[in-house]
Amino acid sequence: ALLPEPEASETYDMAVIGSGMAGCAAALEAASAGARVIVIEKASQSRMGGNSLLAGGGFARPVDDSEAAKQGYVEDYETVCLGRGNSRIFELMARNVADDIAWLESHGVKFNEPSPWPPMRVVMSVAAPGMFAGMPSFFRHMRTRIPELGGTIVFDTKARQRILDDRGAVSGVRAARAGGLIDYKAKSVVIAAGGYAGNTQMLEAYSDP
């Protein structure tokens, strides 16, 4: 059922639903380009990051910049995923992950020195200060870095409905917060509300019953 139109509304260039890795990356990129961005997170501030908050914080990269190293990276991911992964995505990761890590470092994210990760043919850059401790530190940094770039983050606010304009294009997000409903009107909306971790059927099919 459609929610009633609220009296409260705010206007931005971009609205991002979700404060995990994907949502933060979108917000950082847009805010760096001068866009007015709002990140909408249903959880409390201490839970910013969602499933990414619980991740180990290891970012695998090819052992060097050679084509052979990138091919080995892709092949090892295909093996680990038992042939059910998306090789096109693995190829993009192999080509871009070093630059992506450098981009995060340019925003103040700290990584430990890359180290081998046998038996895979990769080196692992772990978010500082270390495995499983780095991601909470990462999101504490994002809570300050995104606002430094002019972005806004709202917590305890659940996106409930896309707003459509007269042409049927998405023009914002209707969200629920403690004070009631609010419209975040935006020229573009990024849905980064999480992966399959909340989908029981997919977990049983691809991870473990």
Side-chain angles (χ1 to χ4, degrees), residues 95-114:
R95 189 161 66 243
N96 295 317
V97 64
D99 288 341
D100 293 340
I101 291 172
W103 178 75
L104 287 172
E105 289 176 327
S106 76
H107 284 286
V109 178
K110 305 296 183 184
F111 289 91
N112 292 342
E113 197 66 26

Side-chain angles (χ1 to χ4, degrees), residues 41-151:
E41 173 55 57
K42 68 179 180 180
S44 63
Q45 178 174 292
S46 64
R47 301 295 296 172
M48 179 181 178
N51 199 51
S52 298
L53 177 67
L54 307 177
F59 293 71
R61 54 200 292 181
V63 294
D64 57 46
D65 197 40
S66 69
E67 289 304 315
K70 293 174 184 176
Q71 184 60 35
Y73 178 100
V74 171
E75 290 172 358
D76 282 1
Y77 264 96
E78 290 172 337
T79 299
V80 167
C81 293
L82 305 178
R84 296 186 294 187
N86 187 324
S87 295
R88 176 61 177 152
I89 291 177
F90 301 154
E91 291 166 1
L92 289 169
M93 290 163 57
R95 189 161 66 243
N96 295 317
V97 64
D99 288 341
D100 293 340
I101 291 172
W103 178 75
L104 287 172
E105 289 176 327
S106 76
H107 284 286
V109 178
K110 305 296 183 184
F111 289 91
N112 292 342
E113 197 66 26
S115 59
W117 203 260
M120 293 186 71
R121 291 167 288 177
V122 304
V123 291
M124 193 72 74
S125 293
V126 178
M131 192 65 75
F132 291 104
M135 295 313 289
S137 176
F138 173 91
F139 288 109
R140 285 193 296 271
H141 180 65
M142 288 297 105
R143 284 203 297 271
T144 60
R145 180 57 178 162
I146 292 172
E148 281 176 358
L149 294 170

Side-chain angles (χ1 to χ4, degrees), residues 7-63:
E7 293 184 5
S9 71
E10 298 175 8
T11 301
Y12 296 87
D13 295 314
M14 175 185 286
V16 179
I17 303 172
S19 68
M21 282 294 301
C24 285
L28 285 174
E29 182 73 1
S32 296
R36 295 186 65 246
V37 180
I38 184 165
V39 179
I40 305 164
E41 173 55 57
K42 68 179 180 180
S44 63
Q45 178 174 292
S46 64
R47 301 295 296 172
M48 179 181 178
N51 199 51
S52 298
L53 177 67
L54 307 177
F59 293 71
R61 54 200 292 181
V63 294

